[in-house]
PDB file of all heavy atoms in Angstrom:
ATOM      1  N   ARG A  80      66.475  83.599 -77.572  1.00 98.00           N
ATOM      2  CA  ARG A  80      66.648  82.934 -76.262  1.00 98.00           C
ATOM      3  C   ARG A  80      67.049  83.939 -75.186  1.00 98.00           C
ATOM      4  O   ARG A  80      66.581  83.874 -74.051  1.00 98.00           O
ATOM      5  CB  ARG A  80      67.690  81.824 -76.380  1.00 98.00           C
ATOM      6  CG  ARG A  80      67.233  80.652 -77.240  1.00 98.00           C
ATOM      7  CD  ARG A  80      68.269  79.556 -77.225  1.00 98.00           C
ATOM      8  NE  ARG A  80      67.805  78.355 -77.863  1.00 98.00           N
ATOM      9  CZ  ARG A  80      68.062  78.011 -79.127  1.00 98.00           C
ATOM     10  NH1 ARG A  80      68.808  78.794 -79.886  1.00 98.00           N
ATOM     11  NH2 ARG A  80      67.597  76.886 -79.622  1.00 98.00           N
ATOM     12  N   LEU A  81      67.935  84.865 -75.569  1.00 98.00           N
ATOM     13  CA  LEU A  81      68.355  85.891 -74.595  1.00 98.00           C
ATOM     14  C   LEU A  81      67.159  86.759 -74.219  1.00 98.00           C
ATOM     15  O   LEU A  81      67.002  87.144 -73.057  1.00 98.00           O
ATOM     16  CB  LEU A  81      69.486  86.732 -75.196  1.00 98.00           C
ATOM     17  CG  LEU A  81      70.780  85.949 -75.490  1.00 98.00           C
ATOM     18  CD1 LEU A  81      71.701  86.745 -76.415  1.00 98.00           C
ATOM     19  CD2 LEU A  81      71.518  85.604 -74.192  1.00 98.00           C
ATOM     20  N   LYS A  82      66.303  87.018 -75.208  1.00 97.00           N
ATOM     21  CA  LYS A  82      65.092  87.821 -74.925  1.00 97.00           C
ATOM     22  C   LYS A  82      64.151  87.042 -74.018  1.00 97.00           C
ATOM     23  O   LYS A  82      63.545  87.593 -73.102  1.00 97.00           O
ATOM     24  CB  LYS A  82      64.388  88.178 -76.237  1.00 97.00           C
ATOM     25  CG  LYS A  82      65.083  89.280 -77.002  1.00 97.00           C
ATOM     26  CD  LYS A  82      64.327  89.631 -78.267  1.00 97.00           C
ATOM     27  CE  LYS A  82      65.108  90.651 -79.082  1.00 97.00           C
ATOM     28  NZ  LYS A  82      65.026  90.427 -80.519  1.00 97.00           N
ATOM     29  N   TRP A  83      64.008  85.755 -74.262  1.00 97.00           N
ATOM     30  CA  TRP A  83      63.101  84.910 -73.471  1.00 97.00           C
ATOM     31  C   TRP A  83      63.492  84.939 -71.987  1.00 97.00           C
ATOM     32  O   TRP A  83      62.644  84.951 -71.106  1.00 97.00           O
ATOM     33  CB  TRP A  83      63.152  83.476 -74.011  1.00 97.00           C
ATOM     34  CG  TRP A  83      61.984  82.601 -73.656  1.00 97.00           C
ATOM     35  CD1 TRP A  83      60.787  82.546 -74.315  1.00 97.00           C
ATOM     36  CD2 TRP A  83      61.897  81.665 -72.573  1.00 97.00           C
ATOM     37  NE1 TRP A  83      59.967  81.621 -73.714  1.00 97.00           N
ATOM     38  CE2 TRP A  83      60.616  81.066 -72.644  1.00 97.00           C
ATOM     39  CE3 TRP A  83      62.770  81.267 -71.557  1.00 97.00           C
ATOM     40  CZ2 TRP A  83      60.187  80.096 -71.741  1.00 97.00           C
ATOM     41  CZ3 TRP A  83      62.340  80.302 -70.656  1.00 97.00           C
ATOM     42  CH2 TRP A  83      61.063  79.733 -70.749  1.00 97.00           C
ATOM     43  N   LEU A  84      64.810  85.005 -71.754  1.00 98.00           N
ATOM     44  CA  LEU A  84      65.299  85.076 -70.360  1.00 98.00           C
ATOM     45  C   LEU A  84      65.350  86.520 -69.847  1.00 98.00           C
ATOM     46  O   LEU A  84      65.722  86.750 -68.686  1.00 98.00           O
ATOM     47  CB  LEU A  84      66.691  84.440 -70.256  1.00 98.00           C
ATOM     48  CG  LEU A  84      66.769  82.921 -70.462  1.00 98.00           C
ATOM     49  CD1 LEU A  84      68.223  82.445 -70.416  1.00 98.00           C
ATOM     50  CD2 LEU A  84      65.960  82.172 -69.407  1.00 98.00           C
ATOM     51  N   GLY A  85      65.032  87.480 -70.715  1.00 98.00           N
ATOM     52  CA  GLY A  85      65.003  88.890 -70.293  1.00 98.00           C
ATOM     53  C   GLY A  85      66.370  89.497 -70.095  1.00 98.00           C
ATOM     54  O   GLY A  85      66.535  90.441 -69.313  1.00 98.00           O
ATOM     55  N   ILE A  86      67.386  88.980 -70.815  1.00 98.00           N
ATOM     56  CA  ILE A  86      68.753  89.488 -70.596  1.00 98.00           C
ATOM     57  C   ILE A  86      69.402  90.026 -71.877  1.00 98.00           C
ATOM     58  O   ILE A  86      70.593  90.314 -71.878  1.00 98.00           O
ATOM     59  CB  ILE A  86      69.680  88.396 -69.987  1.00 98.00           C
ATOM     60  CG1 ILE A  86      69.681  87.144 -70.862  1.00 98.00           C
ATOM     61  CG2 ILE A  86      69.274  88.066 -68.553  1.00 98.00           C
ATOM     62  CD1 ILE A  86      70.792  86.170 -70.512  1.00 98.00           C
ATOM     63  N   ALA A  87      68.619  90.149 -72.958  1.00 97.00           N
ATOM     64  CA  ALA A  87      69.220  90.550 -74.248  1.00 97.00           C
ATOM     65  C   ALA A  87      69.936  91.898 -74.152  1.00 97.00           C
ATOM     66  O   ALA A  87      70.963  92.107 -74.795  1.00 97.00           O
ATOM     67  CB  ALA A  87      68.150  90.589 -75.334  1.00 97.00           C
ATOM     68  N   ASP A  88      69.396  92.806 -73.317  1.00 97.00           N
ATOM     69  CA  ASP A  88      70.040  94.131 -73.235  1.00 97.00           C
ATOM     70  C   ASP A  88      71.137  94.181 -72.171  1.00 97.00           C
ATOM     71  O   ASP A  88      71.719  95.228 -71.911  1.00 97.00           O
ATOM     72  CB  ASP A  88      68.982  95.216 -72.962  1.00 97.00           C
ATOM     73  CG  ASP A  88      68.186  94.918 -71.695  1.00 97.00           C
ATOM     74  OD1 ASP A  88      68.411  93.852 -71.094  1.00 97.00           O
ATOM     75  OD2 ASP A  88      67.347  95.749 -71.308  1.00 97.00           O
ATOM     76  N   GLN A  89      71.432  93.024 -71.575  1.00 98.00           N
ATOM     77  CA  GLN A  89      72.493  93.008 -70.544  1.00 98.00           C
ATOM     78  C   GLN A  89      73.760  92.311 -71.022  1.00 98.00           C
ATOM     79  O   GLN A  89      74.693  92.105 -70.251  1.00 98.00           O
ATOM     80  CB  GLN A  89      71.981  92.318 -69.277  1.00 98.00           C
ATOM     81  CG  GLN A  89      70.848  93.105 -68.608  1.00 98.00           C
ATOM     82  CD  GLN A  89      70.254  92.320 -67.459  1.00 98.00           C
ATOM     83  OE1 GLN A  89      70.925  92.014 -66.484  1.00 98.00           O
ATOM     84  NE2 GLN A  89      68.978  91.966 -67.582  1.00 98.00           N
ATOM     85  N   VAL A  90      73.773  91.879 -72.293  1.00 98.00           N
ATOM     86  CA  VAL A  90      74.979  91.268 -72.851  1.00 98.00           C
ATOM     87  C   VAL A  90      75.427  92.098 -74.046  1.00 98.00           C
ATOM     88  O   VAL A  90      74.614  92.770 -74.675  1.00 98.00           O
ATOM     89  CB  VAL A  90      74.747  89.802 -73.294  1.00 98.00           C
ATOM     90  CG1 VAL A  90      74.307  88.938 -72.127  1.00 98.00           C
ATOM     91  CG2 VAL A  90      73.724  89.729 -74.421  1.00 98.00           C
ATOM     92  N   THR A  91      76.727  92.041 -74.340  1.00 98.00           N
ATOM     93  CA  THR A  91      77.244  92.754 -75.512  1.00 98.00           C
ATOM     94  C   THR A  91      77.641  91.720 -76.549  1.00 98.00           C
ATOM     95  O   THR A  91      78.440  90.816 -76.262  1.00 98.00           O
ATOM     96  CB  THR A  91      78.484  93.599 -75.120  1.00 98.00           C
ATOM     97  OG1 THR A  91      78.151  94.366 -73.954  1.00 98.00           O
ATOM     98  CG2 THR A  91      78.878  94.536 -76.245  1.00 98.00           C
ATOM     99  N   LEU A  92      77.048  91.837 -77.737  1.00 97.00           N
ATOM    100  CA  LEU A  92      77.314  90.857 -78.785  1.00 97.00           C
ATOM    101  C   LEU A  92      78.271  91.446 -79.820  1.00 97.00           C
ATOM    102  O   LEU A  92      78.188  92.629 -80.152  1.00 97.00           O
ATOM    103  CB  LEU A  92      75.992  90.438 -79.455  1.00 97.00           C
ATOM    104  CG  LEU A  92      74.962  89.840 -78.486  1.00 97.00           C
ATOM    105  CD1 LEU A  92      73.668  89.504 -79.219  1.00 97.00           C
ATOM    106  CD2 LEU A  92      75.512  88.598 -77.793  1.00 97.00           C
ATOM    107  N   HIS A  93      79.169  90.579 -80.301  1.00 97.00           N
ATOM    108  CA  HIS A  93      80.188  91.021 -81.253  1.00 97.00           C
ATOM    109  C   HIS A  93      80.138  90.144 -82.494  1.00 97.00           C
ATOM    110  O   HIS A  93      80.097  88.919 -82.382  1.00 97.00           O
ATOM    111  CB  HIS A  93      81.585  90.908 -80.624  1.00 97.00           C
ATOM    112  CG  HIS A  93      81.722  91.646 -79.320  1.00 97.00           C
ATOM    113  ND1 HIS A  93      82.173  92.941 -79.248  1.00 97.00           N
ATOM    114  CD2 HIS A  93      81.453  91.265 -78.046  1.00 97.00           C
ATOM    115  CE1 HIS A  93      82.188  93.333 -77.975  1.00 97.00           C
ATOM    116  NE2 HIS A  93      81.752  92.331 -77.226  1.00 97.00           N
ATOM    117  N   ASP A  94      80.197  90.770 -83.656  1.00 96.00           N
ATOM    118  CA  ASP A  94      80.250  90.041 -84.922  1.00 96.00           C
ATOM    119  C   ASP A  94      81.483  89.162 -84.979  1.00 96.00           C
ATOM    120  O   ASP A  94      82.577  89.604 -84.635  1.00 96.00           O
ATOM    121  CB  ASP A  94      80.371  91.055 -86.082  1.00 96.00           C
ATOM    122  CG  ASP A  94      79.022  91.342 -86.693  1.00 96.00           C
ATOM    123  OD1 ASP A  94      78.044  90.689 -86.304  1.00 96.00           O
ATOM    124  OD2 ASP A  94      78.964  92.231 -87.561  1.00 96.00           O
TER     125      ASP A  94
END
Side-chain angles (χ1 to χ4, degrees):
R80 292 184 172 97
L81 296 165
K82 284 182 185 142
W83 200 84
L84 292 176
I86 55 167
D88 56 356
Q89 294 173 62
V90 300
T91 310
L92 302 178
H93 305 267
D94 263 354

